């Protein structure tokens, strides 16, 4: 919540609004892979919580705070910006944890506590990890409130980038795009015919807008393993105990290379993440837990973000796709990202030609 | 755009955003009833525009300003807040009207002109007329810039309220509502079973939220004449030359009575509007034009706003539904309205019982 009141107000309208609805909280609460990861990380490592002071950044319905209390925490500060805080307070009370859990309706940036905490827990992850940029708030809370040697839940987070082979979905988007530009031509004809207005000069603007919408935009998908090609490449890794506010601003141009084991048409890319609960080297969790949103891991509400190519790559067995990936915050809304991809195909030893390097910038809406 | 920077920023995020896309402007430009009304009002009354100074409030793509120039205006000030102004400027140029039309990217509230104008034209109407509250901006522009005796296009606007008989759609919403509350019970069971959390205390909050979404909310509809019962009642009439900023804040509790000519089940209400282009008594348009969004008038992008009852009224031939209607601006967003309805059924002379007065407040999203 840095920046002026102005920025804050726009942020509320854009971002916080949905979290104020129980419907949206319920969608997260019914994501069982998400729930089991947090529940397991807390309940199977109760010993670490016993008698401790915990901060839950963005408590939403209050669920993580409640579990921390059940795991034996001495005190849990559960901070939530939206009116959901009022519901969280009721839920905590009804579940008999109001002695331990204090729900505080505030931004975590404006939080005042009587001293540091031993553990910070938060479910801050957005699509392709960084979307929503809530990680900023968690890093600020850590720098301000985590005691030296304290633990972060999750402790690590990693971004992955993979290849997608799915011409069916890619062509569906391409067809929608063509249809929307085709409609323009009817529109243009009618504007001239009925209303004496020549729209030609805006044709390029319209096509670009529609292309941004249908092509240069990522889509939520629940990919099946057979829609993926090769191994996802690790793009960026965050140690939640040490990453800085600067580290979490985005992803600087990062090289990737993904090998292809069967002849295939590469339709696009997919981004996903994992979050680890394993503590620090000095203080590892007795029972580490991994939350993965990879395509071979089944449904989560995060799914994967898919970025389709305008022209697919034909890659032979033994070939590869290589390039670079960068995530940059949008100027108008720092919670959203532009995803810049450079990429080219690599043949194999029989057909060793490299395709030309191609470049595209997608928005992740 | 009164209020601080804070309010402005939230307003931008909420409201202006969509108007910056050509896709959205195109949706309005392909609403042929809308287009024909404005085009006719201008082109069939060219004499009034010849040599005049015109202000187009919220020019969007620039279309109305272009027509005013073609109708012979000496000067058209075309004001638009969003970046659409840049496209409008190009369109005006490409259509050879840049000598006459000056596109100004600004809120109309911050506009500075070298003197008054003879005509103000604007397409400011939202769903059920008032939604978006853009009328405020037009009234302010009129008070500041319209010369005495000047003309408003449109000159009058009227809100109507009718009865809907459509159990199919009403029951569809009711079923969706029931399904969403039914899902809650599965959710509650799982939360207890897997995660040791009792959600009971939030059940009421959830039901209310879902009811707000599925039932106490209006819906866009393109009603067919046979889905309407009786004659729409006039609720409020605005003379655009004289209405005050206070008049346009909403609708105070206004009585209505709609007679029923055939035995029928009344499923809900519908709101729509008309806009007139007929000038003033002192200066009537040679060729008056009416733009109607009533159900018997065919498609417009405004359609009608439909408000379903939780329990339908059974009304015999010769009976009626009577009550009151009020529109109030939402506190968090003055561009949106709460619609308060009190209503009861009236029997006929054979069965003269009056149902009890019922009351509901809908949000128009
Ligand atoms: N800076 C900030 N201060 C306080 N709350 C914040 C915040 N940024 C985001 N939030 C809140 O953080 C929550 C993230 S969603 C996670 C909710 C809950 N912890 C759960 O796991 O189910 C949202 O409710 C959002 O409103
Ligand atoms: N206060 C204000 N100042 C300037 N522009 C405004 C405004 N309030 C709304 N607008 C603009 O008014 C337009 C209304 S839509 C109508 C567009 C165009 N006149 C047409 O008839 O096709 C939108 O483009 C919106 O951005």
């Amino acid at each position: 919540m840095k920046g002026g009141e102005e920025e804050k107000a726009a942020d509320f309208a854009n971002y916080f609004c949905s979290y104020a609805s129980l419907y949206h909280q319920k969608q997260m609460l019914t994501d069982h892979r998400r729930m089991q990861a947090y529940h397991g990380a807390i309940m199977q490592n109760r010993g670490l919580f016993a008698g401790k002071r915990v901060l839950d950044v963005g408590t939403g319905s209050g669920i993580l705070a409640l579990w921390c209390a059940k795991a034996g925490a001495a005190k849990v500060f559960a901070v939530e910006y939206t009116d959901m805080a009022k519901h969280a307070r009721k839920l905590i009370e009804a579940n008999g944890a109001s002695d331990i859990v204090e729900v505080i309706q505030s931004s975590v940036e404006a939080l005042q506590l009587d001293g540091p905490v031993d553990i910070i827990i938060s479910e801050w992850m957005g699509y392709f990890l960084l979307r929503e940029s809530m990680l900023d708030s968690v890093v600020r809370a850590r720098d301000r409130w985590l005691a030296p040697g304290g633990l972060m839940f999750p402790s690590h987070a990693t971004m992955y980038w993979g290849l997608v082979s799915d011409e069916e979905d890619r062509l569906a988007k391409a067809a929608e795009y063509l249809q929307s530009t085709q409609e323009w031509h009817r529109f243009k004809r009618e504007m001239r015919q009925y209303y004496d207005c020549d729209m030609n000069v805006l044709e390029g603007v319209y096509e670009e807008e529609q292309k941004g919408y249908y092509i240069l935009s990522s889509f939520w998908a629940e990919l099946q393993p057979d829609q993926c090609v090769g191994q996802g490449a690790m793009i960026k890794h965050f140690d939640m105990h040490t990453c800085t506010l600067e580290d979490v601003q985005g992803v600087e141009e990062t090289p990737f290379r993904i090998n292809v084991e069967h002849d295939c048409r590469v339709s696009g890319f997919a981004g996903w993440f994992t979050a680890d609960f394993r503590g620090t080297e000095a203080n590892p969790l007795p029972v580490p837990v991994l939350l993965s949103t990879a395509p071979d891991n089944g449904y989560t509400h995060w799914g994967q973000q898919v970025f389709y190519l305008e022209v697919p790559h034909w890659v032979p067995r033994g070939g590869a796709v290589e390039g670079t990936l960068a995530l940059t915050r949008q100027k108008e809304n720092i919670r959203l990202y532009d995803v810049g991809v450079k990429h080219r195909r690599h043949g194999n030893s029989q057909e060793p030609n490299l395709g030309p390097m191609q470049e595209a910038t997608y928005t992740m809406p």
Side-chain angles (χ1 to χ4, degrees), chain A residues 216-267:
Chain A
L216 293 176
S217 188
S218 61
F219 298 95
W220 187 96
E222 190 188 342
L223 291 175
Q224 301 304 309
D226 66 355
Q227 295 171 304
C228 295
V229 179
Q231 290 291 313
M234 202 226 269
I235 290 294
K236 187 156 182 171
H237 180 67
F238 297 97
D239 181 333
M240 293 295 297
H241 299 87
T242 56
C243 65
T244 64
L245 208 50
E246 207 186 317
D247 294 335
V248 308
Q249 293 305 299
V251 175
E252 286 180 13
E253 208 167 309
T254 302
F256 65 85
R257 181 191 164 105
I258 301 167
N259 296 323
V260 169
E261 280 140 38
H262 306 281
D263 294 357
C264 77
R265 206 181 284 273
V266 172
S267 313

Side-chain angles (χ1 to χ4, degrees), chain A residues 28 53-54 99 120 238 248:
Chain A
M28 298 186 288
R53 283 162 62 91
V54 180
D99 292 355
I120 290 181
F238 297 97
V248 308

